[in-house]
Amino acid sequence: MAQVINVLEHCRLPPSTSSSASTAEFTLPLTFYDVVWINFYPIQRLLFYKLPYPKSHFTGTIIPKLKQSLSIALKHFLPLAGNLIIPLDSGFPQLRYAKGDTLSVTFAESFEDFQDLVGNHPRNCSRFYSLIPQLRPESIESGGARVSAVLAVQVTLFPNYGITIGSVHQHVIGDANVVTGFMRTWASINKFDGETELFDNNDNKSFLPFYGREVLEDPYKLTTLIFNEMEKPNPRQESESNVSKVPTKNFNFNLRVTYVMSQVEIQMLKKYAMENMPNLVNPSSFVLTCAYIWTSWLKSMEAIGEEIKVDENEIEYFLFAADYRARLSPPLPANYFGNCIVPCIAKSTRGELCGPRGLSIAAENIGIAIRERLNDQEKILKGVWFYELREINWKRLLSVSGSTKHDTYDADFGWGKPEKYECVSIDASQAVSINKSGKYEVGFEIGLSLPKNQMDTFADIFASGLKNL
């Protein structure tokens, strides 16, 4: 059953007054790192905080403070209060903040079981949807352009138990680096009652955005090429794939579960790799974790019997993104606002990945995908990766949402660190989320959304595989 909430307030929040926010217009052109995400399904995120306060404290103290701190944070992240502008006839898409633009913010009250929702055990996906806001509907402005909001926020109280901060954003505005930077900025302002800490603390200051586009090279006009190609149909990529903005399936009957890979379990994987994978040279924790998830997922698919029989020679794909800021020449600042990630694609046959050397083959191919992608800037500038994406059979793909490089749990609004993070949009994107653990200093959280029969099978395969390492 879907969760029931009571909407307490809905408002349109402007950035706080400043020299930048009071300008008539602030525009930001998109790069080829951005335009590839235009048709991607919006990212839905939830942060759960334990906060044992009644509704009176929420409405009288917490809401006013959150609104004030969010308004100040938007002053530094103006595009998030603005819109994505896509001309209908000619011209190129851009992010635009115009004076008077506002962010849609909802405050609500839930009567669900907070303690159950923050667990790692299987929970019905439908219980999370009402905690996520909706982006304002797209409109057409008089000049002849599609205008769509890029962000919406919802804060929901579970009286005497906790709070969730839910958000939905278009990926075109920026990658995980941008989103975690914004959340950390908002949290810091709320916790310290203003901006002082942002500028006194060098660590916090590093999250304030750098908007410069002039340092990005596009010698092959890849931005224009990709934008034009995005409008063309791709027969290998169907509407239910993870690049569709509108999901065609009902995910209310899926289950959501979180697996936590501790340092001990990661070391077990590394020990196994050293003893059984002679071709791997110092594999990273991320590579081994991804390899283990990929092979476990494929084995679970095979065990439940897929609708269409898959030949052992069928190519399977594993897709994940790597931050490219530091590898560019010249490198981009860590606080660059926008997308600067490149897709890494590992592939192998179903028979190899489900066979006795499956984990080794998966890890080897993921490692190769990283090395080949990150060590060839020329191929990135030419867009080789984009054409590889268009050749993928999306029915045979497992992709990763999230990043292990950025700490999702490092957003303290003055209530302590989050109790739990959930990436709700993996329901529709059919991806697996991988993020830093909120429990362990070294470790990963793995989020999955699957039908019950596959979830049960995956759980058995995942647990027994670790036990038998």
Side-chain angles (χ1 to χ4, degrees):
M1 180 181 293
Q3 185 182 25
V4 177
I5 66 165
N6 175 33
V7 175
L8 302 174
E9 179 184 351
H10 180 76
C11 62
R12 301 284 291 271
L13 196 67
S16 66
T17 303
S18 72
S19 57
S20 57
S22 61
T23 57
E25 188 170 285
F26 175 82
T27 60
L28 201 60
L30 301 185
T31 73
F32 62 80
Y33 296 107
D34 301 316
V35 293
V36 72
W37 297 104
I38 281 180
N39 293 328
F40 197 83
Y41 187 79
I43 308 299
Q44 300 163 315
R45 305 166 82 250
L46 276 175
L47 288 172
F48 290 81
Y49 293 86
K50 279 192 173 180
L51 202 63
Y53 289 129
K55 180 178 176 180
S56 58
H57 183 78
F58 181 65
T59 57
T61 302
I62 293 178
I63 288 180
K65 190 174 179 181
L66 282 175
K67 289 165 70 173
Q68 182 181 28
S69 58
L70 178 54
S71 180
I72 296 172
L74 287 172
K75 177 179 69 175
H76 299 287
F77 289 81
L78 283 179
L80 300 186
N83 296 281
L84 171 65
I85 310 297
I86 303 179
L88 293 176
D89 298 322
S90 61
F92 198 74
Q94 62 183 358
L95 298 177
R96 183 189 72 193
Y97 167 79
K99 188 176 181 181
D101 283 345
T102 55
L103 175 68
S104 175
V105 184
T106 302
F107 295 95
E109 175 185 23
S110 172
F111 307 100
E112 254 277 17
D113 187 337
F114 181 87
Q115 291 298 113
D116 190 59
L117 287 177
V118 299
N120 292 333
H121 59 281
R123 293 139 297 150
N124 193 288
C125 291
S126 65
R127 298 171 65 193
F128 295 86
Y129 297 152
S130 63
L131 304 175
I132 295 291
Q134 298 291 317
L135 286 170
R136 292 197 303 271
E138 184 178 273
S139 62
I140 305 296
E141 65 180 11
S142 57
R146 291 160 48 195
V147 180
S148 57
V150 295
L151 174 68
V153 171
Q154 179 174 321
V155 183
T156 306
L157 171 72
F158 296 74
N160 302 310
Y161 286 98
I163 283 177
T164 61
I165 295 185
S167 64
V168 55
H169 70 271
Q170 295 196 51
H171 204 312
V172 71
I173 64 170
D175 49 37
N177 192 60
V178 170
V179 177
T180 54
F182 170 68
M183 291 300 295
R184 183 168 174 175
T185 299
W186 179 18
S188 176
I189 294 170
N190 193 78
K191 180 178 181 178
F192 296 104
D193 295 315
E195 303 170 88
T196 303
E197 181 71 12
L198 286 178
F199 300 102
D200 289 347
N201 186 322
N202 288 330
D203 189 36
N204 281 335
K205 190 176 179 180
S206 67
F207 282 89
L208 295 177
F210 169 77
Y211 291 112
R213 293 291 196 259
E214 66 281 353
V215 293
L216 282 172
E217 296 182 356
D218 187 6
Y220 301 103
K221 308 299 181 185
L222 188 57
T223 305
T224 301
L225 186 151
I226 291 178
F227 179 59
N228 292 335
E229 286 288 321
M230 294 293 287
E231 302 302 316
K232 297 179 182 179
N234 185 349
R236 294 182 65 83
Q237 195 169 289
E238 297 191 1
S239 60
E240 75 264 27
S241 77
N242 64 347
V243 294
S244 174
K245 278 193 176 182
V246 182
T248 59
K249 294 181 179 179
N250 186 338
F251 299 99
N252 285 336
F253 299 104
N254 271 21
L255 297 178
R256 169 181 299 279
V257 71
T258 303
Y259 292 92
V260 180
M261 291 284 284
S262 67
Q263 185 176 13
V264 171
E265 290 165 325
I266 291 172
Q267 288 304 317
M268 288 167 56
L269 279 174
K270 287 194 172 185
K271 183 174 182 293
Y272 178 86
M274 291 174 61
E275 295 173 351
N276 298 277
M277 305 179 188
N279 295 332
L280 282 177
V281 180
N282 193 27
S284 70
S285 300
F286 176 79
V287 166
L288 291 172
T289 299
C290 286
Y292 189 66
I293 295 168
W294 190 17
T295 52
S296 297
W297 184 78
L298 287 172
K299 289 174 183 176
S300 72
M301 291 285 288
E302 196 164 74
I304 64 173
E306 298 180 67
E307 294 178 7
I308 302 175
K309 174 109 176 127
V310 179
D311 187 89
E312 66 175 12
N313 294 317
E314 184 79 38
I315 299 296
E316 302 284 353
Y317 300 89
F318 189 81
L319 173 65
F320 56 100
D323 193 315
Y324 207 64
R325 287 168 173 78
R327 290 181 175 269
L328 281 172
S329 179
L332 279 176
N335 58 341
Y336 168 79
F337 184 99
N339 291 282
C340 192
I341 51 178
V342 291
C344 300
I345 307 167
K347 58 185 179 180
S348 188
T349 66
R350 165 65 74 92
E352 288 178 322
L353 292 167
C354 291
R357 291 193 64 250
L359 182 61
S360 173
I361 291 168
E364 288 169 5
N365 281 284
I366 291 171
I368 289 170
I370 294 173
R371 289 194 300 274
E372 289 185 349
R373 183 67 76 227
L374 297 186
N375 293 324
D376 197 334
Q377 183 169 324
E378 187 68 11
K379 282 188 176 181
I380 291 174
L381 294 175
K382 286 183 176 180
V384 172
W385 52 273
F386 176 71
Y387 293 103
E388 289 176 354
L389 286 175
R390 290 180 71 82
E391 290 302 312
I392 286 178
N393 181 351
W394 293 81
K395 289 183 177 180
R396 305 258 52 90
L397 169 74
L398 180 62
S399 61
V400 173
S401 176
S403 171
T404 59
K405 298 293 184 182
H406 309 292
D407 191 353
T408 307
Y409 285 88
D410 195 14
D412 182 358
F413 285 79
W415 319 316
K417 290 194 173 185
E419 182 73 10
K420 187 71 185 294
Y421 166 74
E422 293 283 358
C423 181
V424 176
S425 47
I426 63 171
D427 295 348
S429 67
Q430 301 172 55
V432 55
S433 67
I434 305 180
N435 298 278
K436 279 188 176 182
S437 170
K439 181 178 180 181
Y440 299 108
E441 185 67 27
V442 177
F444 301 137
E445 284 185 0
I446 302 154
L448 286 171
S449 170
L450 296 171
K452 186 180 186 306
N453 60 339
Q454 187 182 353
M455 183 69 80
D456 292 342
T457 305
F458 181 91
D460 291 340
I461 292 170
F462 192 87
S464 61
L466 287 175
K467 185 178 179 180
N468 295 328
L469 283 178

